[in-house]
Amino acid sequence: MSKEIYENPDLKKERQNCPFNKEEITHLLDGGKEKTIERKQLENYILSDEQLKDAVPMEYLSHADKYAEELRKACLLMHKLADSPAGQVPTLRALMGAGLGSAVLKEGNPLALHYVMFIPALMGQGTIDQQAKWLEKAYNLNMIGTYAQTELGHGTFLRGLETRATYDPKTQEFILESPSLTAYKWWPGSLGKTANYAVVMAQLYTKGKCEGTHPFMVQLRDEETHEPLPGIVNMWLNPVCISSYIHYGTYVKPTNSKLSYATMVFVRVVVCQDVTTNLRKAVTIATRYSCVRRQSELKPGDREPQVMDYQAQQNKLLPPLAATFAFQLAADHLWNLYHTANNNIEQGDLELLPDLHGLSCALKALCSSEAANFVEVCRQSCGGHGYMSCSNFPRIYGQVTAAETYEGENTVLWLQVARYLVKTRKEQSGGLSVKYLIGEEKGPKTVDTTLEGIVKLYRRAAVGLVDVAIAELDKSGRKGEAPHDAWNHAAVYLIKAAQAHARLFVVESFVDSLKEGKLSAPVRTVLSQLCELFIIYWLLERSGDFFLCSNLTKQDLLLLNSKYVELLAAIRPQAVNLVDSFDLRDEVLNSPLGCWDGNVYQRLFDEAAKSPLNQSNVHESFHKYLKPLLKSNL
Ligand SMILES: CCCCCCCCCC/C=C\CCCCC/C=C/C(=O)SCCNC(=O)CCNC(=O)[C@H](O)C(C)(C)COP(=O)(O)OP(=O)(O)OC[C@H]1O[C@@H](n2cnc3c(N)ncnc32)[C@H](O)[C@@H]1OP(=O)(O)O
Ligand SMILES: Cc1cc2nc3c(=O)[nH]c(=O)nc-3n(C[C@H](O)[C@H](O)[C@H](O)COP(=O)(O)OP(=O)(O)OC[C@H]3O[C@@H](n4cnc5c(N)ncnc54)[C@H](O)[C@@H]3O)c2cc1C
């Protein structure tokens, strides 16, 4: 007799009479029906392997045992690559990020940097000969690499890196050295115990002149013994300059010195997708839990309501739910720009490079910071159970908030965006993705609170805040301040302008995608509600920017507030159906709060029982410490 599958009655009710086709949204997020089929096949292929399951929860292992266990599984995954039903690159993409990969490697993938940065650095910056020599070795895992750029003393300021690569024309070798403690490479993933090669960013010196930071291939460890090579601590020999600019002893400048930063641009682009995947997990966990959890009293005398029926809970969870669609669509647009720009760069056409740099900095900073804030709101919306390690919120938050720092600390990236915006506005040039900055904002300044009218408000704020920042810079200039001081004293305005630009890009991506997309009427309706909710939410959160730059009135704001709460109520009935559309398996969510069946309390109890402390009634430490204390009559 088939075992009755338990489904929490409240979740079951939430799923009845769904007005739209969930699979249509799943296919939209996957990039098409075929991609969904491929993803599900890959998930079954990986998650059905018993050897990839954790015998005990990772949180109860020592640091060294965690590393060993993650390395065991990471290596097993690589052995499974060859027979993957999805092909190499789609499998690698799935295994390196916050989705399928995190279901197996909960503490992180020791081989991630090899695929996410080391190989992309070779592909993006290696010469044909160098790629011929190293790429096959890297893809065959005959070498494990990392990307060693950050030092103890410098992570942000690349022109301040201290590691030096001095070219010796006599031996035609580069001597790499870390001249001081602060020059030690610090932070690179896998550098400590896993990688035996690294792309090392170092200041290139030739003929006594510093030519700036360049990437060098360095062997770190013996390929057989894995022992660090002699002198590896503070003196590295025999590195090779990747994308050699040394021709017969003479340095040949690259067409753009920033091309050596290309690997970081790639990761900034893919990080936008990765933090969105993590946000989808957090929203799914919190939404399902909020429909299972019944607490307090809404109507006196009635049964305790589902906490999702409180408007306050809807206000916590529906904006992040909408954000997952907004960020995904924006990340897709950025990915397309990246490919176009990269193809052009390979042909020597660098015109899109500033747009790509500006937009990748903007979106990476916006998606990571917003996602981190939203994940924390999701965690808090689950009360005490959200605080438990097994809820998976601590791990999800740790992964997302790391993205606010790595690959370019967000504040620094916002200032990069501002530099690009000010230049585009002043020079009225270029600016594919900031076309609105070129020429004057046309049309009446009156406000209409339709979707199109709200998008126009975002554009006014984006232009207006750049102009406010430029006015500040000019004011400082008139007072005789040096440009670098004027820039520093306008930082607050510059960052606001950058953030307004990033939000405009996300808003326009969402609105345009709904216009262009071939969607059924029911899906278009629910996604349009989410879109309108999200763009009003952000406007209400940043209303000062809009008051400053448009004719927005108090009446407009009150109207938008009413529209916002109406949309909360309209979307509430579809919250569970929308997160079900993400099609995130329980193993990927890895949380008793978010499981599809809603069997929260039993799963919480089972998780608690796994703790080593719950394997006996009295822990041995009682007899060692507590009992003597109890007897000591202090
Ligand atoms: C094969 C399968 C692949 C599978 C992939 C799957 C992916 C799965 C998802 C994985 C997700 C997560 C894993 C991620 C792990 C990442 C781990 C972390 C790694 C790191 O952190 S690596 C180190 C990162 N470090 C940084 O980012 C440093 C930040 N600092 C800088 O970038 C620079 O110092 C700077 C930009 C802040 C300043 O540089 P500087 O040289 O001083 O330049 P400026 O003087 O400011 O500007 C001069 C002009 O240059 C332009 N510029 C600057 N940078 C760039 C760039 N990158 N590109 C183009 N142009 C650039 C700038 O705009 C100026 O131009 P202007 O003069 O104004 O015209
Ligand atoms: C989880 C994780 C993984 C990482 N992996 C790698 C890796 O694999 N390889 C690698 O090379 N690195 C890696 N890093 C390092 C990472 O790239 C750096 O930490 C990051 O670039 C920030 O640099 P920093 O640590 O020097 O911070 P700092 O720049 O020292 O930041 C400290 C403060 O100074 C401020 N600040 C700095 N410059 C300016 C400025 N010009 N204007 C205004 N404010 C400024 C910042 O906003 C911040 O508030 C990793 C970091 C983390 C957290």
Side-chain angles (χ1 to χ4, degrees):
M1 168 126 121
S2 67
K3 189 168 159 260
E4 176 71 14
I5 296 177
Y6 171 83
E7 186 180 2
N8 172 277
D10 286 323
L11 278 191
K12 190 168 188 173
K13 187 160 174 280
E14 295 282 340
R15 290 168 174 148
Q16 281 166 356
N17 311 318
C18 177
F20 57 85
N21 178 351
K22 295 180 194 180
E23 279 196 335
E24 184 182 341
I25 293 181
T26 306
H27 297 161
L28 173 74
L29 295 175
D30 281 329
K33 184 176 180 181
E34 289 313 305
K35 293 285 186 193
T36 298
I37 293 169
E38 182 183 89
R39 170 178 59 78
K40 293 167 89 78
Q41 284 174 340
L42 177 59
E43 287 173 350
N44 289 332
Y45 173 63
I46 297 295
L47 297 175
S48 59
D49 188 329
E50 288 303 317
Q51 296 182 83
L52 290 171
K53 296 187 189 333
D54 296 327
V56 291
M58 292 300 281
E59 46 263 49
Y60 300 129
L61 295 181
S62 70
H63 187 198
D65 288 345
K66 275 181 192 171
Y67 170 72
E69 179 59 6
E70 297 298 65
L71 188 61
R72 177 189 71 80
K73 289 179 286 179
C75 293
L76 180 54
L77 283 171
M78 294 304 104
H79 287 297
K80 292 179 74 74
L81 260 182
D83 301 327
S84 168
Q88 291 253 351
V89 176
T91 302
L92 283 169
R93 287 200 62 168
L95 293 178
M96 293 302 142
L100 179 58
S102 69
V104 177
L105 300 167
K106 300 177 182 66
E107 297 296 320
N109 185 338
L111 305 179
L113 265 290
H114 179 72
Y115 287 104
V116 176
M117 296 201 78
F118 182 73
I119 287 179
L122 291 180
M123 292 169 73
Q125 301 178 63
T127 63
I128 299 294
D129 293 346
Q130 289 166 345
Q131 290 176 2
K133 177 179 180 183
W134 281 318
L135 270 183
E136 188 179 357
K137 193 170 176 175
Y139 264 118
N140 292 343
L141 290 170
N142 299 135
M143 67 193 305
I144 303 291
T146 184
Y147 182 85
Q149 174 175 288
T150 301
E151 298 168 355
L152 256 179
H154 287 93
T156 285
F157 189 52
L158 297 189
R159 285 184 284 139
L161 289 179
E162 295 178 69
T163 301
R164 300 168 64 118
T166 307
Y167 181 69
D168 179 346
K170 286 199 286 299
T171 62
Q172 293 192 339
E173 281 180 339
F174 295 94
I175 308 299
L176 250 72
E177 58 176 328
S178 306
S180 62
L181 175 65
T182 48
Y184 272 49
K185 292 301 178 184
W186 197 270
W187 268 114
S190 314
L191 184 62
K193 287 292 176 205
T194 313
N196 54 9
Y197 284 83
V199 167
V200 175
M201 294 294 276
Q203 304 286 7
L204 169 59
Y205 282 80
T206 173
K207 296 179 181 174
K209 183 171 177 255
C210 178
E211 298 291 358
T213 49
H214 287 69
F216 292 84
M217 172 67 79
V218 180
Q219 183 174 352
L220 306 172
R221 294 171 175 271
D222 182 286
E223 290 188 9
E224 294 306 318
T225 66
H226 208 53
E227 285 293 331
L229 292 183
I232 199 64
V233 178
N234 50 23
M235 175 80 83
W236 296 339
L237 296 173
N238 298 330
V240 176
C241 181
I242 297 177
S243 53
S244 167
Y245 295 111
I246 299 279
H247 293 283
Y248 308 106
T250 306
Y251 178 73
V252 177
K253 267 197 183 305
T255 46
N256 182 310
S257 65
K258 302 311 172 196
L259 289 176
S260 66
Y261 293 179
T263 307
M264 293 180 282
V265 176
F266 166 73
V267 181
R268 288 168 191 157
V269 171
V270 296
V271 160
C272 297
Q273 171 62 62
D274 203 61
V275 295
T276 303
T277 301
N278 261 323
L279 181 57
R280 267 206 285 273
K281 288 159 64 174
V283 169
T284 302
I285 294 166
T287 299
R288 286 179 178 163
Y289 177 73
S290 299
C291 291
V292 169
R293 184 71 168 183
R294 287 180 171 273
Q295 198 68 202
S296 306
E297 192 175 55
L298 217 168
K299 185 179 175 190
D302 261 13
R303 181 188 178 195
E304 290 187 88
Q306 294 167 285
V307 295
M308 194 56 142
D309 287 339
Y310 292 112
Q311 187 186 80
Q313 191 82 352
Q314 295 158 25
N315 183 45
K316 290 174 190 171
L317 296 182
L318 298 186
L321 171 57
T324 65
F325 291 92
F327 296 166
Q328 163 89 43
L329 295 166
D332 290 348
H333 277 94
L334 177 62
W335 181 250
N336 295 335
L337 172 65
Y338 173 77
H339 270 288
T340 305
N342 232 23
N343 292 337
N344 295 355
I345 289 164
E346 282 170 7
Q347 312 302 322
D349 172 2
L350 303 184
E351 188 193 7
L352 283 177
L353 188 58
D355 288 284
L356 179 61
H357 174 50
L359 203 50
S360 58
C361 288
L363 221 52
K364 181 269 187 188
L366 182 73
C367 291
S368 59
S369 53
E370 291 283 316
N373 294 337
F374 280 140
V375 168
E376 174 56 4
V377 168
C378 288
R379 192 272 301 174
Q380 291 182 23
S381 75
C382 294
H385 299 329
Y387 187 75
M388 289 179 72
S389 170
C390 70
S391 73
N392 208 21
F393 283 121
R395 193 174 280 124
I396 292 171
Y397 182 75
Q399 287 169 1
V400 176
T401 195
E404 295 185 272
T405 301
Y406 66 53
E407 225 51 71
E409 198 280 329
N410 280 357
T411 302
V412 170
L413 297 188
W414 285 127
L415 290 166
Q416 282 292 307
V417 178
R419 177 172 175 149
Y420 160 67
L421 297 176
V422 167
K423 186 171 183 181
T424 303
R425 182 68 170 162
K426 278 190 161 182
E427 295 177 1
Q428 291 286 293
S429 65
L432 252 187
S433 68
V434 287
K435 50 195 175 301
Y436 58 90
L437 287 178
I438 299 163
E440 282 313 305
E441 187 54 21
K442 309 242 182 332
K445 291 230 171 189
T446 51
V447 169
D448 79 69
T449 52
T450 62
L451 205 62
E452 286 67 31
I454 294 169
V455 173
K456 281 201 184 95
L457 282 174
Y458 274 83
R459 197 165 294 128
R460 284 199 191 290
V463 176
L465 287 172
V466 173
D467 290 344
V468 167
I470 289 173
E472 278 303 308
L473 291 168
D474 293 347
K475 188 168 78 176
S476 298
R478 287 193 296 275
K479 285 193 300 188
E481 282 194 23
H484 59 268
D485 285 330
W487 183 263
N488 187 37
H489 295 150
V492 171
Y493 297 96
L494 291 164
I495 291 168
K496 276 179 179 283
Q499 291 173 340
H501 163 66
R503 276 195 296 279
L504 172 62
F505 180 81
V506 170
V507 164
E508 287 192 326
S509 289
F510 204 164
V511 171
D512 293 348
S513 299
L514 293 182
K515 278 184 196 153
E516 294 151 12
K518 295 182 183 62
L519 304 170
S520 65
V523 166
R524 183 180 303 283
T525 299
V526 73
L527 293 187
S528 300
Q529 288 172 328
L530 286 168
C531 178
E532 195 170 5
L533 175 87
F534 191 59
I535 70 176
I536 294 174
Y537 165 80
W538 255 355
L539 191 158
L540 297 174
E541 288 287 297
R542 314 286 301 207
S543 53
D545 295 349
F546 296 88
F547 273 126
L548 191 63
C549 304
S550 74
N551 297 338
L552 192 72
T553 67
K554 179 183 164 188
Q555 284 313 313
D556 296 323
L557 218 51
L558 290 171
L559 180 67
L560 288 168
N561 259 307
S562 305
K563 184 75 179 160
Y564 175 76
V565 293
E566 283 169 21
L567 285 162
L568 289 178
I571 297 167
R572 156 67 187 94
Q574 304 318 327
V576 168
N577 292 321
L578 284 163
V579 299
D580 283 355
S581 306
F582 296 159
D583 194 27
L584 292 169
R585 287 179 54 148
D586 285 354
E587 300 94 325
V588 174
L589 294 173
N590 186 30
S591 170
L593 306 187
C595 288
W596 185 89
D597 65 10
N599 195 8
V600 169
Y601 298 118
Q602 186 57 53
R603 291 175 188 277
L604 275 174
F605 193 85
D606 295 347
E607 278 304 311
K610 292 175 185 173
S611 165
L613 283 177
N614 288 329
Q615 304 318 309
S616 63
N617 290 332
V618 179
H619 190 261
E620 60 185 29
S621 54
F622 167 78
H623 302 288
K624 280 185 192 171
Y625 310 113
L626 198 52
K627 187 169 181 178
L629 178 69
L630 294 171
K631 299 296 181 198
S632 63
N633 299 322
L634 283 182

